[in-house]
Amino acid sequence: MNEDPILHLEDLQIALHANGEEYPAIDGVNLQIGRGEVVGLVGESGCGKSLCALSVAGLLDGPLRVSGGRILFDGGDIARLPNRSMRMLRGSRIAMIFQEPMTALNPLMTIGDQIGEMFVLHRGMSRRAARRQAIEALEQVQVPAASRRVDDYPHQLSGGMRQRVMIAIALACDPDLLIADEATTALDVTIQAEIVELILDLCRARGTAVLMISHDLGLVARVCNRVAVMYAGHLVEEQPADRIFSSPQHPYTQGLVASLPRLGRRLVVGQAKLADIPGVVPQILDYGKGCRFAPRCAQAMDRCSTTAPGTTLLASGGKKRCYLNG
Ligand code: SF4
């Protein structure tokens, strides 16, 4: 990365407060995203990917809090920004798209009003000008008959169209960073590909950096420049996307790669994966002192269960968190 990153998670710690104790939900995550770069964050459900995303967007709540480290956005630490400042940043410079647009959209407002609100709130436009911009934004996300659909309510649209509306809202103010959190998971496979392509095309044209969060390593490795892998609140590996596929270094990443269907091998929906990682991701309250992957790792050694490995740099320019040499 030649210039200052747009986002730098620096030793990020997020604590879960429960039973009068503080538990390390996210523990020492370091990740940089360059301006205009597309970075993937992968791992099974419960690994902490969404917690990292929510902390960047200032949306952590309840028992979860940033307890250490910094979230540097365009050089400034936003980890403890007051709510009002964070609200202004969110939507204008940092935007998010979630898995289920129906829960993010207001069912009682037309989609035109919801897109237009971004222009009124962040650009100070009049309602009339905001409506014109909303139609243009709908055209950019390829909603057909945009000048008519602008008055539709969310329930009148298909899942794919609703996700296009979410993209229009997210990109309305040309943010510097878009966080797409499982943005296509709920959609049909063919629509998924269209939506991913649309997000990437629009972000490339605007120079918007993308943090693409997904449990689908295949999708992420195809479209991202770099891929970071999370397991149980730790970032366990980060490499250029092609290296993650060709030379995964951490046993967890190796398991994820081995689980991907390959050409010439049939994956029957509903049956077990072709190769699988035994066991499940531990709960935050059950994290031990050693490597959190040890109970599932076929290569675990005695010290793995008692002492957590540090991060080592790889020749590829990436890094991993494991005792094994490779
Ligand atoms: Fe497996 Fe040990 Fe590496 Fe953890 S540190 S991934 S248990 S070999």
Side-chain angles (χ1 to χ4, degrees), residues 90-276:
R90 199 167 53 232
S92 61
R93 299 196 64 198
I94 300 174
M96 255 187 114
I97 311 174
F98 299 96
Q99 177 174 342
E100 185 32 81
M102 208 50 191
T103 55
L105 290 169
N106 183 338
L108 302 176
M109 279 174 80
T110 66
I111 56 171
D113 282 347
Q114 294 187 60
I115 301 169
E117 202 172 56
M118 301 302 291
F119 298 115
V120 173
L121 199 64
H122 297 289
R123 293 274 158 86
M125 281 187 192
S126 67
R127 292 272 162 204
R128 183 186 289 250
R131 181 184 161 84
R132 275 198 304 273
Q133 283 288 320
I135 294 171
E136 208 171 290
L138 283 176
E139 285 167 349
Q140 283 172 3
V141 294
Q142 296 158 18
V143 169
S147 54
R148 188 162 48 80
R149 305 301 305 253
V150 72
D151 295 317
D152 281 357
Y153 288 87
H155 73 270
Q156 295 174 276
L157 304 175
S158 67
M161 282 297 152
R162 282 199 288 265
Q163 200 55 296
R164 285 173 194 269
V165 171
M166 284 309 302
I167 297 168
I169 292 173
L171 298 181
C173 295
D174 286 340
D176 299 292
L177 174 68
L178 173 71
I179 302 169
D181 188 357
E182 302 281 5
T184 60
T185 302
L187 303 173
D188 289 349
V189 177
T190 45
I191 311 278
Q192 274 184 13
E194 281 174 28
I195 295 289
V196 168
E197 211 170 297
L198 179 68
I199 292 172
L200 294 177
D201 284 352
L202 292 172
C203 288
R204 263 187 227 115
R206 290 165 160 79
T208 304
V210 182
L211 177 60
M212 187 164 286
I213 295 175
S214 178
H215 64 278
D216 184 346
L217 178 63
L219 163 80
V220 159
R222 258 196 327 277
V223 302
C224 295
N225 306 111
R226 277 186 301 122
V227 177
V229 181
M230 283 201 74
Y231 186 78
H234 281 151
L235 204 153
V236 295
E237 181 165 352
E238 183 197 321
Q239 288 220 68
D242 55 339
R243 299 289 298 174
I244 280 280
F245 256 140
S246 63
S247 181
Q249 295 294 306
H250 192 282
Y252 180 57
T253 318
Q254 290 165 358
L256 291 179
V257 172
S259 300
L260 291 171
R262 288 192 168 74
L263 275 180
R265 298 164 78 186
R266 272 183 76 216
L267 180 67
V268 181
V269 177
Q271 289 190 355
K273 291 175 195 162
L274 294 170
D276 216 336

Side-chain angles (χ1 to χ4, degrees), residues 30-31 235-238 311-314 317-321:
N30 287 290
L31 181 68
L235 204 153
V236 295
E237 181 165 352
E238 183 197 321
T311 300
T312 44
L313 297 179
L314 302 169
K319 57 193 178 190
K320 72 167 178 184
R321 195 170 180 138

Side-chain angles (χ1 to χ4, degrees), residues 250-252 291-295 297-301 304-305 307 309 321-324:
H250 192 282
Y252 180 57
C291 170
R292 292 174 185 172
F293 188 60
C297 181
Q299 301 173 74
M301 302 160 272
C304 298
S305 313
T307 316
R321 195 170 180 138
C322 174
Y323 287 123
L324 295 172

Side-chain angles (χ1 to χ4, degrees), residues 19-75:
N19 313 324
E21 304 264 346
E22 194 176 286
Y23 299 88
I26 297 293
D27 197 2
V29 164
N30 287 290
L31 181 68
Q32 297 190 17
I33 302 178
R35 291 162 203 272
E37 194 182 17
V38 182
V39 173
L41 191 55
V42 296
E44 293 161 283
S45 299
C47 280
K49 313 179 297 285
S50 293
L51 285 185
C52 288
L54 290 171
S55 69
V56 174
L59 291 172
L60 283 179
D61 61 3
L64 291 156
R65 240 165 281 156
V66 173
S67 53
R70 299 196 295 172
I71 300 173
L72 297 168
F73 177 74
D74 201 9

